[in-house]
Amino acid sequence: MSLLPHHDGSALYVPEQEPALGQRVPVFVRVPEGADVRQVHVRTTGDGEPRFVEATVDRRDGHDVWWRADVEVRNPVSNYRFMLTGTTGYRWLNAAGQVDHDVPDHGDFKLVSHAPPPAWARDAVIYQIFPDRFARSAAAGRTPPDWAIPCDWDTPVIGRGPETPRQFYGGDLDGITERLDHLDRLGVNTVYLTPIFPARSNHRYDAAGFDTVDPLLGGDAALVRLADAVRARGWRLLGDITSNHTGDAHEWFTRALADVDAPERELYYFDVASGGGGEPAYESWNGVRSLPKLNWGSAELRRRFATAPDSLLRRWLQPPYGLAGWRVDVANMTGRRGADAYTHEVARLLREVVAQTRADGLLLAEHGHDHTGDLDSDGWHGTMNYVGFTDPVWSWLRHEDPAPRPAGPPHPAGAGPAVSGPAGAGPAGGRGQDGEPVPNFLGTPGGVRRRDAHAVLATMNSFRSLISWRSYTHSWQLLGSHDSARIRTVVGDAARQEVAVGLLATMPGTPVVFAGDELGLTGGNGEASRTPMPWHRPQSWDVGTFAAYRALLALRRDTPALRHGGLRWVHVDADTLVFLREATTGTVLVLARRAAGPPVRLTGLPYGDGAVPRPAGENAYGGAPALRPTADGRITLPGDGPTFQVWHL
């Protein structure tokens, strides 16, 4: 892949990162010296009408010509693209790349004048905790509830079936507080908890109320202790809220069920065709009757959930709890049912309330598939980027199918090892328990399919190009979560997991680590991945994987270009991805290989640019030799693999 004209929404190309409506802001396009570009225009569509402005040459820096034009932020989301004219005609450069044919506007670059996400989010490294499985405190040992199957910490997790949500291990919030030193060693600075409200399951997405913390987790006082301990380290604590549904034990729903004239009746969808057998008919999440769906057409729901002074959304953002924001469960379904289409209204409402309550509050949406139509609308700050990051990384690094293994004694469906063995151990990638395909988080039949890097890059670019740079960089990049298989099970060994973690730490977006991934834990699906942390068995930890996470997260923390820089792809082949992260503070070159192959030779890189206080070409991660260009400016990247390497240019 030769270097092409480039633009992205980072500060190197758009110096004004928080434009105001009506402002004119400069935008730059970088054109390699010698490219067939004689003239550059910027096309905008303010108020829906195309207009063209001619760009001028701003500067030359040895390898590139930088063209500049000013764009008016005419609308809250203002589109623009570049028309590059040469001797052979013109091409368009939009967020998807360079094309020689006309394309729709939805792939254009975007300037967004809505209030920006909180500044701290760009520097966040998030650690996701499933409270029941993280740690028991000295005060644990509370009497299990009637719905629970009590488990010892080493009881195998049941990965599927009716017992899955009933397994109760007894982790609590004080247990998390007691283990914050582990998070500190890892290098995270933000803690995200899956739901903590009373419920009738271990996952607690079936909330029985929103006014208190589950006593099984230690109650409200335990949350205060955890929040204080997190803040004392200069970190932030995020909560998890279900805006699409409650549990069927929630007091709102039980009142609505008991009395057709109750004011709570309008909070849900009753008298729909989902009932049967004499049971009350009501809408629920995916037909699961224990999760009745909320009706956001109700003004009373909006008041109770968001706008009232004592609403649940506000309560937990305020002292003494002081959550820094919310991850919104099933945000993609919230407000959507048949002809009802309240999703964007709800997103804007929740964001407004969060900002009123806590000016630096974050509102992050769960979205498992195409999120592009739900961002940039003054609602969610970003999304969990499963489709634009997790799934393509899985499909590229997924291990080849293993050979059939001999039949052995049966064991419970979904049960599997609590942890992997030494580095490189664990189930072969692409297969979960019993050799079955690892489920694709998006529900695609056949599990995770193995693809080459061309398809992976095309997938990433397809979704990235349809949202603003702001939404892309404030979305969560993750290798897995409590709702998916674990990355070690997908990739099959420590070497490929290191490559995955390298991408997590060096690509734009907010990196999220699911508790236990850093130890090499395994799990073949969302439920089986909810593995208790093996604190009492440190000999089982994959210390090499922990060291890789720690070093890569430290590299991200210490390298501004990895947190705030642009993204420019410079090479792709079936087994290799190479890209630049560029900022005014310096440039880094990243090489990710899933397998060994021919060395990669590159020319025209911005070698030695930026104010980096270290020799250009120095290896920053991976141990490869320093890069030294030949007389014609060529550098050669090593061909061994799997490997992940980073250099300062």
Side-chain angles (χ1 to χ4, degrees):
M1 179 186 292
S2 60
L3 294 180
L4 298 171
H6 181 74
H7 175 87
D8 58 47
S10 66
L12 197 61
Y13 300 92
V14 185
E16 177 53 74
Q17 291 285 288
E18 298 179 7
L21 193 63
Q23 185 178 359
R24 298 188 68 84
V25 301
V27 298
F28 294 86
V29 61
R30 183 181 202 159
V31 178
E33 191 76 58
D36 182 25
V37 175
R38 302 293 180 264
Q39 193 175 33
V40 175
H41 289 83
V42 175
R43 175 187 182 269
T44 60
T45 54
D47 296 337
E49 181 67 18
R51 295 177 178 85
F52 290 84
V53 174
E54 186 171 1
T56 58
V57 173
D58 183 78
R59 65 188 185 276
R60 301 174 187 268
D61 62 8
H63 293 294
D64 302 300
V65 180
W66 291 78
W67 296 75
R68 168 185 169 151
D70 291 340
V71 173
E72 180 185 5
V73 185
R74 179 69 179 179
N75 307 113
V77 178
S78 296
N79 289 1
Y80 65 99
R81 71 169 84 150
F82 298 93
M83 188 176 80
L84 312 176
T85 305
T87 58
T88 59
Y90 72 86
R91 294 97 68 200
W92 295 114
L93 175 64
N94 68 1
Q98 184 175 278
V99 295
D100 59 1
H101 59 276
D102 290 341
V103 290
D105 295 346
H106 61 257
D108 285 358
F109 300 107
K110 297 173 178 64
L111 295 171
V112 181
S113 66
H114 297 305
W120 62 264
R122 285 292 297 276
D123 297 321
V125 178
I126 298 175
Y127 193 77
Q128 182 194 1
I129 293 176
F130 190 84
D132 182 60
R133 312 289 164 85
F134 188 71
R136 290 173 175 167
S137 71
R142 301 173 180 90
T143 302
D146 58 4
W147 54 262
I149 301 173
C151 296
D152 295 328
W153 207 246
D154 287 321
T155 300
V157 172
I158 300 172
R160 56 176 62 87
E163 294 181 333
T164 294
R166 297 173 56 208
Q167 281 190 293
F168 178 75
Y169 288 80
D172 61 1
L173 298 185
D174 285 320
I176 298 171
T177 303
E178 293 170 3
R179 296 289 181 175
L180 291 180
D181 283 349
H182 173 79
L183 279 64
D184 194 33
R185 287 192 295 273
L186 183 62
V188 303
N189 58 23
T190 305
V191 180
Y192 154 50
L193 305 176
T194 59
I196 58 176
F197 302 121
R200 295 185 59 80
S201 69
N202 52 42
H203 55 72
R204 296 185 172 89
Y205 284 100
D206 56 331
F210 294 124
D211 297 331
T212 61
V213 173
D214 194 335
L216 296 171
L217 294 175
D220 294 4
L223 179 61
V224 173
R225 290 190 290 271
L226 174 58
D228 286 346
V230 166
R231 281 193 294 271
R233 294 172 183 263
W235 301 352
R236 288 173 174 81
L237 183 64
L238 299 173
D240 196 324
I241 194 69
T242 55
S243 59
N244 178 71
H245 54 264
T246 66
D248 60 356
H250 197 289
E251 61 180 353
W252 295 350
F253 187 72
T254 57
R255 291 173 186 165
L257 203 60
D259 182 1
V260 296
D261 295 320
E264 289 79 9
R265 193 80 173 182
E266 72 172 64
L267 308 184
Y268 299 89
Y269 289 99
F270 281 93
D271 301 318
V272 296
S274 60
E279 297 178 336
Y282 56 87
E283 189 80 21
S284 60
W285 176 79
N286 281 351
V288 178
R289 288 182 61 77
S290 61
L291 302 174
K293 185 177 178 68
L294 291 166
N295 179 1
W296 281 94
S298 164
E300 179 62 13
L301 174 63
R302 299 185 184 206
R303 190 190 70 81
R304 294 189 186 195
F305 198 101
T307 60
D310 59 348
S311 72
L312 70 100
L313 201 67
R314 297 184 192 272
R315 170 181 169 82
W316 304 101
L317 299 176
Q318 298 171 331
Y321 315 105
L323 297 183
W326 295 104
R327 176 265 196 186
V328 181
D329 181 60
V330 202
N332 56 300
M333 296 181 72
T334 296
R336 287 188 168 112
R337 176 188 173 267
D340 287 355
Y342 304 118
T343 300
H344 291 175
E345 285 183 40
V346 174
R348 286 192 293 270
L349 175 67
L350 300 190
R351 180 164 169 177
E352 179 182 5
V353 170
V354 166
Q356 289 173 351
T357 309
R358 177 167 180 151
D360 66 344
L362 182 71
L363 191 68
L364 200 288
E366 181 196 23
H367 212 308
H369 56 104
D370 182 6
H371 53 260
T372 58
D374 285 350
L375 299 182
D376 296 322
S377 299
D378 201 22
W380 321 125
H381 287 128
T383 187
M384 300 178 79
N385 193 15
Y386 287 110
V387 68
F389 182 82
T390 313
D391 196 59
V393 169
W394 279 17
S395 66
W396 186 50
L397 295 176
R398 208 213 81 171
H399 200 280
E400 296 88 349
D401 287 334
R405 62 186 183 185
H411 59 279
V419 296
S420 70
R431 297 278 161 174
Q433 280 69 30
D434 299 320
E436 297 176 359
V438 171
N440 182 299
F441 181 78
L442 309 180
T444 306
V448 180
R449 309 294 178 91
R450 198 164 190 264
R451 294 185 170 92
D452 68 19
H454 295 282
V456 166
L457 181 54
T459 301
M460 289 182 172
N461 284 341
S462 292
F463 290 97
R464 177 193 51 78
S465 66
L466 297 181
I467 58 177
S468 70
W469 181 258
R470 173 188 291 183
S471 288
Y472 174 58
T473 56
H474 286 88
S475 289
W476 289 2
Q477 314 289 37
L478 58 168
L479 299 175
S481 72
H482 69 295
D483 279 329
S484 76
R486 283 195 182 266
I487 184 63
R488 175 58 68 85
T489 296
V490 175
V491 302
D493 59 43
R496 283 185 176 84
Q497 185 172 352
E498 183 180 7
V499 176
V501 180
L503 293 172
L504 181 76
T506 60
M507 287 191 66
T510 304
V512 180
V513 178
F514 180 37
D517 279 353
E518 75 276 16
L519 306 181
L521 302 194
T522 60
N525 61 24
E527 287 76 13
S529 74
R530 300 170 187 178
T531 316
M533 292 285 284
W535 302 113
H536 59 303
R537 286 185 283 107
Q539 71 279 3
S540 70
W541 297 11
D542 184 342
V543 295
T545 292
F546 181 84
Y549 271 82
R550 186 178 185 183
L552 284 161
L553 294 178
L555 178 65
R556 183 183 183 89
R557 180 186 64 239
D558 297 338
T559 309
L562 294 180
R563 291 178 283 113
H564 303 291
L567 174 66
R568 184 158 55 135
W569 296 96
V570 297
H571 176 83
V572 58
D573 61 53
D575 296 321
T576 312
L577 290 167
V578 184
F579 58 90
L580 297 168
R581 297 296 312 277
E582 301 169 306
T584 56
T585 54
T587 297
V588 295
L589 175 68
V590 177
L591 165 70
R593 279 190 179 274
R594 70 177 181 183
V600 175
R601 293 177 174 83
L602 302 172
T603 58
L605 296 183
Y607 199 86
D609 288 359
V612 182
R614 56 180 69 85
E618 178 187 4
N619 185 264
Y621 181 87
L627 300 176
R628 295 292 179 255
T630 59
D632 61 357
R634 177 176 298 179
I635 60 173
T636 301
L637 309 184
D640 59 300
T643 190
F644 190 82
Q645 304 287 338
V646 181
W647 294 270
H648 295 289
L649 295 187

